[in-house]
Amino acid sequence: MKILIVEDEAALSKSITTYLKQENYSCEVATTYAEAIEKTDTFDYDCILLDIMLPDGNGLDVLKALKQDKRTDGVIVISAKDSMTDKIAGLQLGADDYLAKPFFLPELSARVAAVIRRRRFEGSSELVLNEIKVDVASRIVTVSDTVVELTKKEFDLLVYFIVNKNRVLSKTAIAEHLSGADADLFDSFDFIYAHIKNLKKKLAASGCDNYFKSVYGMGYKLEVL
Amino acid sequence: MKLLSYISSRYALFTFLLALLSVPLFYLLVKHIMYNNLDESLTYQKYWVAQTMNRDTSINFTSYNNSVIIKPTALKTGSDSFYSKKVYIPEDDERVKHRILHTIINVHGRNYELEIQKSMLEDDDLFASVFTIQLFVIMLLFTGLFYMNRWFSKKMLQPFQDTLLKLTHYRIDKHEVPGFARTNITEFRSLNEALRQLLQRNVSLYKAQKEFTENASHEMQTPLAVIQSKLDLLLQTPVNHEQAGLVEELTTAVRKLQRLNRSLLLLTKIENKQFPETELIALKEVIGNQLDQFSDMAQEKNIRLEPGTMDALTIRGNGSLIDILIGNLFSNALRHSVRDGAVYISLKGNIFSIANTASAGALNPAYIFDRFNKQSANAKSMGLGLEICKQITALYGYKLNYDFADNKHCFSVTFH
């Protein structure tokens, strides 16, 4: 899976590269508008992470150029401008997703995975983790061909963990992913514990191994060897 | 008091005093001239009488009205004496004031006492005349002043009134710098020029300030993103419990900074009216979504979410802003509600209200919607949420209210 990171802040693109490489993505970095155009002209990418504010141009113009060439590369707009207009403009121009800075890397990874899934399998996407099969489009989870009934939150949680498998996910990141709201509204993150406990219980009832590990003081991890 | 009235009232007072003072002055002056004139004429008459008597002593000098009286006398000749005296005139049956010359003349070696009288204008009459004339002049002056004032305020002050009107209606966040009417009056021209420059300066300062907030917030997002990403990576390395705690605390601080930034940016954008798109919004749905979204949070704090009456209400506005408005009121209620408390939500008619059980007494409604005004000790609160709500309601002309009753903080939005 090839990913292009169009981002002028080297420290940030390095972080993204480090994180995504561990997910077996191959990452390339473009720091300017010109470089982004040059790279996209030469190669196809599974997903392009596009910063809007570039030193020599607007990231949205890269998106426009891609769409003019009828390219199907997945695009996630990453912007420091947390403005609705940018988001709407990005999505209207054909971006697949929008993420405002700053973001959690696991969140980015989940979004990238979702975009690639949609592109690759054209809607009928399946995530497989040993005996667990998740059909993201129809939202059906099966463990060794037994359907497991999950609530919306539990389903989201499972997908998030599978995409970020073998990663420590902080409670804050999980809370924001689940609620879509500011994590600081929570006095404690006990509700995450409750969701994970329920999820584990339901999966175990279908004969699934326990992959969830609580990492003391940090968060949780879906550990697959 | 109008400037012109103020000035003219001072002028009028001065004119009036001057006129009053001029009545006795004129009176004395006219009297003095009159006396001089009469005395001169009396002296001529004296010489004429003396000459005539020198030629012919037999002439009877007691003339008409006894105005000339000549009597032989033993008195010595002396200087002429003039005086005024009231003399009875039988024909008119009244005493009339006369100017009298009394002197002794010598004719052919004999002394005669000579008295010549001339009737003159009465003091009262003179005074009355002077007074009447002055009064007339004052009246004319006042009438003139009145009409000139009216004309001035209409014509001359017109550019000033124009400037004033434009300034009264001018709002720095809404309008362009107004063009003032041209005028030939130097003071008004300088005033307009000074105002124009002042307004221009203010506009550029205002713009700079707005842009600063926006740019600063933008520029801060990228370093924050870098910090956050490094923290995420740090978490993937073998860290011990203590280090993990530090990472978590750092993450919390970064998220807080980020939200602060976003809120400031949002405020600036609302103030700049950068949300032009509007759509029809079913409020019931918005409230329903927020109820869903906050259910976890409520559960976690063991707060009951109690939706009451939910009337159907459709409003026109920007979808994101209305989401933010309702969302902020929800998070505000949850944030400040006590553990095991309750949040009551209702939409009655065109009033949305959300109330939460209070931990302390009423808040001060005077400051509650102010930026960074925190009336709670909650460290997670930023003090921007309600300000954002206020700006959104102000943008659409809704009314945002705070009430405290039944140990509950209640915020309500009246949609029009």
Side-chain angles (χ1 to χ4, degrees), chain A residues 32 39 51 62 100 134 147 200:
Chain A
T32 61
K39 288 218 155 126
D51 187 14
V62 178
V134 180
V147 174
K200 274 199 302 199

Side-chain angles (χ1 to χ4, degrees), chain A:
Chain A
M1 306 275 177
K2 264 170 73 175
I3 292 175
L4 176 66
I5 303 159
V6 184
E7 164 66 57
D8 62 323
E9 180 67 43
L12 186 58
S13 54
K14 202 175 131 201
S15 294
I16 298 173
T17 309
T18 312
Y19 194 89
L20 292 182
K21 266 192 177 152
Q22 288 167 359
E23 308 271 337
N24 292 323
Y25 294 114
S26 74
C27 299
E28 283 182 39
V29 176
T31 51
T32 61
Y33 170 79
E35 206 180 332
I37 289 288
E38 191 194 311
K39 288 218 155 126
T40 50
D41 275 351
T42 325
F43 305 103
D44 282 328
Y45 293 93
D46 294 288
C47 186
I48 299 170
L49 306 178
L50 197 56
D51 187 14
I52 289 186
M53 291 205 287
L54 296 171
D56 58 342
N58 190 322
L60 290 178
D61 290 334
V62 178
L63 183 56
K64 273 184 211 160
L66 284 172
K67 293 299 154 189
Q68 254 167 21
D69 295 346
K70 307 232 182 306
R71 295 272 293 270
T72 56
D73 311 49
V75 175
I76 298 176
V77 173
I78 298 172
S79 172
K81 288 190 182 182
D82 180 40
S83 77
M84 287 299 154
T85 37
D86 273 353
K87 184 172 176 175
I88 291 164
L91 295 180
Q92 271 175 352
L93 282 172
D96 296 83
D97 209 342
Y98 175 95
L99 200 55
K101 284 184 192 171
F103 43 78
F104 289 109
L105 288 176
E107 184 67 36
L108 176 71
S109 167
R111 305 274 185 114
V112 170
V115 166
I116 290 175
R117 264 194 327 263
R118 280 206 292 272
R119 297 271 149 193
R120 280 280 154 116
F121 308 104
E122 277 157 1
S124 62
S125 53
E126 252 187 358
L127 286 173
V128 181
L129 186 108
N130 295 350
E131 67 267 43
I132 308 173
K133 265 189 202 153
V134 180
D135 188 327
V136 181
S138 55
R139 302 182 76 85
I140 293 171
V141 179
T142 51
V143 173
S144 319
D145 297 325
T146 322
V147 174
V148 183
E149 291 292 335
L150 295 181
T151 63
K152 187 180 170 294
K153 292 254 153 100
E154 286 158 3
F155 180 85
D156 288 344
L157 202 59
L158 182 61
V159 172
Y160 189 58
F161 269 101
I162 292 176
V163 169
N164 287 291
K165 59 178 183 280
N166 292 324
R167 293 304 172 80
V168 179
L169 302 178
S170 74
K171 287 176 187 169
T172 319
I174 299 170
E176 290 203 4
H177 178 79
L178 279 190
S179 66
D182 297 324
D184 70 319
L185 276 169
F186 299 98
D187 274 353
S188 79
F189 294 127
D190 291 347
F191 75 102
I192 297 172
Y193 171 73
H195 280 311
I196 291 176
K197 206 175 79 184
N198 290 338
L199 180 59
K200 274 199 302 199
K201 217 189 274 172
K202 284 181 183 176
L203 291 174
S206 307
C208 181
D209 275 351
N210 179 20
Y211 299 110
F212 288 95
K213 294 276 176 301
S214 168
V215 185
Y216 186 57
M218 291 194 250
Y220 296 92
K221 188 174 176 181
L222 188 76
E223 212 167 52
V224 190
L225 300 170

Side-chain angles (χ1 to χ4, degrees), chain A residues 7-12 14-16 18-19 22 51 53 79-85 88 100-106 153 166-173 176 178-191 195 216-219, chain B residues 217-219 221-226 228-230 232-233 235-237 239-241 244-245 248 251-252 254-256 258-259 262 265 269 274-277 292-301 318 320 324 331-332 334-335 339 378 380-381:
Chain A
E7 164 66 57
D8 62 323
E9 180 67 43
L12 186 58
K14 202 175 131 201
S15 294
I16 298 173
T18 312
Y19 194 89
Q22 288 167 359
D51 187 14
M53 291 205 287
S79 172
K81 288 190 182 182
D82 180 40
S83 77
M84 287 299 154
T85 37
I88 291 164
K101 284 184 192 171
F103 43 78
F104 289 109
L105 288 176
K153 292 254 153 100
N166 292 324
R167 293 304 172 80
V168 179
L169 302 178
S170 74
K171 287 176 187 169
T172 319
E176 290 203 4
L178 279 190
S179 66
D182 297 324
D184 70 319
L185 276 169
F186 299 98
D187 274 353
S188 79
F189 294 127
D190 291 347
F191 75 102
H195 280 311
Y216 186 57
M218 291 194 250
Chain B
S217 300
H218 279 164
E219 293 305 319
Q221 298 289 61
T222 302
L224 279 176
V226 173
Q228 183 60 60
S229 68
K230 300 297 173 196
D232 286 343
L233 289 178
L235 213 54
Q236 308 310 322
T237 60
V239 289
N240 63 30
H241 175 53
E248 199 61 35
T251 303
T252 311
V254 169
R255 296 319 266 184
K256 191 167 176 181
Q258 174 211 353
R259 279 188 308 113
R262 282 189 186 166
L265 210 56
K269 280 176 188 294
Q274 281 170 303
F275 292 95
E277 309 87 5
D292 254 10
Q293 185 151 58
F294 284 96
S295 59
D296 262 344
M297 245 158 267
Q299 218 173 18
E300 187 264 313
K301 277 182 92 173
N318 184 288
S320 339
I324 292 167
S331 65
N332 188 63
L334 278 170
R335 199 192 300 277
R339 233 192 142 72
N378 193 331
K380 287 176 172 178
S381 157

